[in-house]
Amino acid sequence: MDDHKKTEKIYYEIQETSKPLKVIAEEAGFAGLSQLSDFCRKRLGKSPSEIRKKR
């Protein structure tokens, strides 16, 4: 999966599902929440919890 598709999928999962962030991180291949958070901040400009709050 290319980075753009991975970014879109992660954004969708955070924003539109109620999956725990830890599960989203594991499914995306990250070692933990801190890696997911770093990825989101770099790619989306917000932390996963900030993205989820926008629902």
Side-chain angles (χ1 to χ4, degrees):
M1 182 180 309
D2 68 38
D3 276 351
H4 183 73
K5 282 197 186 326
K6 183 176 183 177
T7 303
E8 284 183 342
K9 182 174 179 4
I10 289 170
Y11 182 82
Y12 173 83
E13 298 257 319
I14 294 169
Q15 178 100 32
E16 302 296 331
T17 73
S18 56
K19 273 186 198 178
L21 295 175
K22 185 174 184 199
V23 172
I24 295 170
E26 289 169 358
E27 288 177 351
F30 295 111
L33 278 177
S34 63
Q35 281 189 343
L36 175 64
S37 188
D38 290 345
F39 179 88
C40 288
R41 286 184 192 282
K42 192 181 293 181
R43 296 278 177 172
L44 301 167
K46 295 180 176 159
S47 72
S49 56
E50 289 171 326
I51 294 166
R52 183 153 273 178
K53 282 180 192 169
K54 287 198 149 196
R55 280 203 231 168

